[in-house]
């Protein structure tokens, strides 16, 4: 990044540099980046230049990618292998071979799916629906950011569990796609002036279980509609990542008066579920019950604009940047 | 009540009336009210004249009481029996005998304890500490409104479970009593200008488990200090009962970033625990590990002022009104 963003992240906060990679040492591999994952969780690190990896302190972004090994000095990898892992936003990435996780090539499944439905997003959705909320047959389940990659998968997983699934998304086009393409029972546009009334109608006045990705604007009316002993999985607060303002909830009292459970969760507390989640997600894809939706931007130089667009929630499903040669 | 309160409940909102009770029919009993329970949960009903009992719609308060049977036309009760139950704030109460639950007279235990440590307050504390939060040995446990009846018992129960117990109360006198009389490890005054720093110091920077009775002013700094995967039992929001303002939490994000669980709970979802809770609480009292603290006001005409005082959090422990003949 060129500088720490003033307030909102903008394209001017990014810069592109060209440099020479060192030649490989034993145990290292060279990877051609094919897909870069544009994830909301990066925003907080971009804003603060602080993250789990020390490179953040220099403003170097560390995100998720899928790539192809083009050179290897480690027996575990060979040229032509597809891998994923954490990486800088670079066209080429070299490093210890153990940093790259070899991927299975599945017929009919795009490799970028390993950044979404078969990657962290899919696992995040699976954990929320299965472990945190434990969605049950016949329940009314809502999910915010339903057109986003995690929300889209969460809704489809809840549907597989027999729930009535109502999404919340921004804009009528998105909502239509969430119903027609992802198979949700309904999707409510939070930009509509009568959003809260529409939501209440779509859930018949009562929500059993909710998967939150956004923040107050969705969570507050949802709280107001929660049934007694309802469960809320708190997966994201994308509307609140870019500032420190207090979060205001008129219906916070509902947590008490309806005996609700609100549980925040992080993917890295549940990595033991990765295998089972991937098996079930893959089965869902094969059975046509999980539809992979992606918004693909071409070319690394377009990554900053694509990232800003994603935060502004343009497009549908998983946002990735595709790098050609 | 004389009228629906404008904003805050005040003594002027109450009125006293004298009327003739109908004579008893078969299956009914007449009870002399001995103790009336002053509970925060009543405030919302007083404000709205709406509650589970239809009398609320006429502004008639239905609260908890302990009394003595003086006449009975039911074989289950006889004069001299002590009972508790829900009742109007009346000096005499008549009705179906099944509305009155017969109490055991325990040596050394005041009958008013059945409104507090051996009643709903004790059960509420027990459920939060045992079922909702599941406090474990060696954990750091905090509780707000620590000088209040529920908070006082919750802290003592957590102490019995081997936790380090830090209370939060309003005023240095109360805090001193919470430590010296109730045996908490520490108690922090939320009225102190450096409350947040004092709290952080008292918990060594980290809280494993928290029992919330009050609201934002305590919950927000507590959230900021919660350890990863910490648990919060939400039992009350006394600071927010008297208005509908949005509840603001600067550290709400912590629920997500630290993977916390916040669970609201209501006593009537856990009545199956009443027997076990009462046995354990009674054992705690006998072993000197649970100290019964009460603020007693004499005379029914003083109940409104006592209730307003209780909301303003004057006094220590369970608040009751004692009725003499």
């Amino acid at each position: 990044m060129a500088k720490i963003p003033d307030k909102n992240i903008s394209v001017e906060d990014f810069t592109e540099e060209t440099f020479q990679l060192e030649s490989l040492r034993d145990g290292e591999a060279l990877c051609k980046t094919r897909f870069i994952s544009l994830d909301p969780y990066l925003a907080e690190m971009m804003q603060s230049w602080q993250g789990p990896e020390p490179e953040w302190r220099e403003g170097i972004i560390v995100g998720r990618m899928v790539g192809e090994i083009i050179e290897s000095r480690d027996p575990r990898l060979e040229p032509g292998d597809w891998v994923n892992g954490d990486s800088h936003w670079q066209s080429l990435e070299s490093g210890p071979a153990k940093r790259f996780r070899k991927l299975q090539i599945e017929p009919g499944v795009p490799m970028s799916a390993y950044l979404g439905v078969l990657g962290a997003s899919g696992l995040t959705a699976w954990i929320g629906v299965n472990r945190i909320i434990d969605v049950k047959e016949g329940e009314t389940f809502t999910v915010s950011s339903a057109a986003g990659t995690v929300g889209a998968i969460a809704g489809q997983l809840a549907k597989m569990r027999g729930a009535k699934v109502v999404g919340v998304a921004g804009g009528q086009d998105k909502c239509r796609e969430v119903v027609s393409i992802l198979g949700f029972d309904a999707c409510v546009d939070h930009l509509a002036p009568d959003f809260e009334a529409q939501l209440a109608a779509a859930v018949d006045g009562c929500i059993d279980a909710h998967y939150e990705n956004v923040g107050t604007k969705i969570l507050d009316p949802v709280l107001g509609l929660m049934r007694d002993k309802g469960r809320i999985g708190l997966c994201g607060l994308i509307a609140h990542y870019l500032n420190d303002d207090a979060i205001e909830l008129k219906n916070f009292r509902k947590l008490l008066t309806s005996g609700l459970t609100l549980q925040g969760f992080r993917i890295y507390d549940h990595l033991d579920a990765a295998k089972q989640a991937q098996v079930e997600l893959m089965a869902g894809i094969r059975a046509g019950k999980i539809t992979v939706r992606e918004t693909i931007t071409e070319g690394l130089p377009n990554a900053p604009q694509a990232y800003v667009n994603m935060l502004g929630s343009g497009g549908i499903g998983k946002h990735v940047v595709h790098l050609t040669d």
Side-chain angles (χ1 to χ4, degrees), chain A residues 66-100:
Chain A
V66 159
E68 202 181 335
I69 297 299
I70 53 177
E71 192 185 334
S72 174
R73 289 185 61 181
D74 188 279
R76 283 171 290 188
L77 292 172
E78 54 187 61
D81 283 348
W82 282 79
V83 296
N84 70 357
D86 290 330
S87 123
H88 305 147
W89 285 12
Q90 287 174 194
S91 56
L92 286 170
E93 179 81 67
S94 68
K98 64 179 177 195
R99 273 186 41 200
F100 304 109

Side-chain angles (χ1 to χ4, degrees), chain A residues 19-292:
Chain A
F19 63 97
Q20 191 70 35
L21 285 175
E22 290 174 30
S23 51
L24 294 189
R25 281 167 289 197
D26 281 344
E28 292 187 336
L30 179 65
C31 177
K32 171 81 193 76
T33 308
R34 293 297 186 189
F35 296 99
I36 279 174
S37 183
L38 304 177
D39 293 302
Y41 78 90
L42 293 172
E44 209 173 332
M45 303 168 186
M46 290 178 179
Q47 288 282 126
S48 62
W49 285 26
Q50 284 181 354
E53 297 86 4
E55 298 96 306
W56 279 106
R57 269 171 280 172
E58 298 162 64
I60 297 171
I61 299 165
V62 186
R64 300 190 182 116
M65 67 98 193
V66 159
E68 202 181 335
I69 297 299
I70 53 177
E71 192 185 334
S72 174
R73 289 185 61 181
D74 188 279
R76 283 171 290 188
L77 292 172
E78 54 187 61
D81 283 348
W82 282 79
V83 296
N84 70 357
D86 290 330
S87 123
H88 305 147
W89 285 12
Q90 287 174 194
S91 56
L92 286 170
E93 179 81 67
S94 68
K98 64 179 177 195
R99 273 186 41 200
F100 304 109
R101 194 171 66 92
K102 201 169 157 177
L103 301 176
Q104 246 182 299
I105 297 170
E106 295 283 338
V109 178
M111 294 311 285
S112 54
Y114 283 98
L115 293 176
V117 62
L118 297 177
S121 304
L123 179 55
T124 302
W126 189 94
I127 290 162
V129 169
N130 291 274
R131 279 215 176 157
I132 306 297
I133 303 174
D134 191 18
V135 179
K136 296 192 179 64
E137 194 174 342
E139 289 192 328
T140 297
F141 171 86
T142 49
V143 54
S144 59
S145 199
T149 175
V150 172
I153 303 165
Q156 293 180 91
L157 285 171
K159 194 87 197 142
M160 283 168 73
R161 284 188 146 218
K164 171 181 168 175
V165 174
V166 176
V168 175
Q172 292 189 23
D173 288 349
K174 275 194 202 171
C175 287
R176 264 192 293 274
E177 288 211 36
V178 166
V179 172
S180 63
I181 298 175
L182 305 179
F184 283 37
D185 295 289
C187 188
V188 184
D189 177 8
H190 67 73
L191 303 175
D194 60 342
F195 161 57
E196 300 197 18
Q198 281 192 35
L199 179 64
V203 301
D204 282 332
C206 240
I207 299 168
D208 297 290
H210 175 67
Y211 192 117
E212 183 56 53
N213 291 306
V214 176
T216 299
K217 199 191 166 181
I218 318 297
L219 183 57
D220 212 6
V222 162
L223 279 169
L225 291 164
M226 289 298 290
R227 193 190 297 273
D228 268 18
K229 298 195 231 175
R231 297 96 62 208
I232 299 171
L234 180 62
C235 175
L237 287 167
I238 188 171
H240 305 284
Y241 288 158
L242 301 180
N243 64 61
D244 288 332
D245 299 346
I247 289 180
E248 294 186 27
L249 292 163
K250 256 188 108 59
N251 291 315
F252 187 86
R253 293 163 184 80
K254 254 299 209 108
L255 287 161
L256 174 62
T257 56
S258 293
L260 308 180
T261 301
L262 173 74
Q263 187 170 358
F265 64 99
R266 293 112 17 123
I267 186 172
Y268 52 87
D269 288 328
H270 299 276
L271 295 180
D272 59 298
K275 198 106 203 166
Q276 189 190 348
Q278 200 170 84
V279 167
E280 290 185 26
L281 288 159
M282 188 71 90
I285 296 172
R286 288 221 188 87
K289 289 178 174 170
I290 294 178
T291 303
V292 180

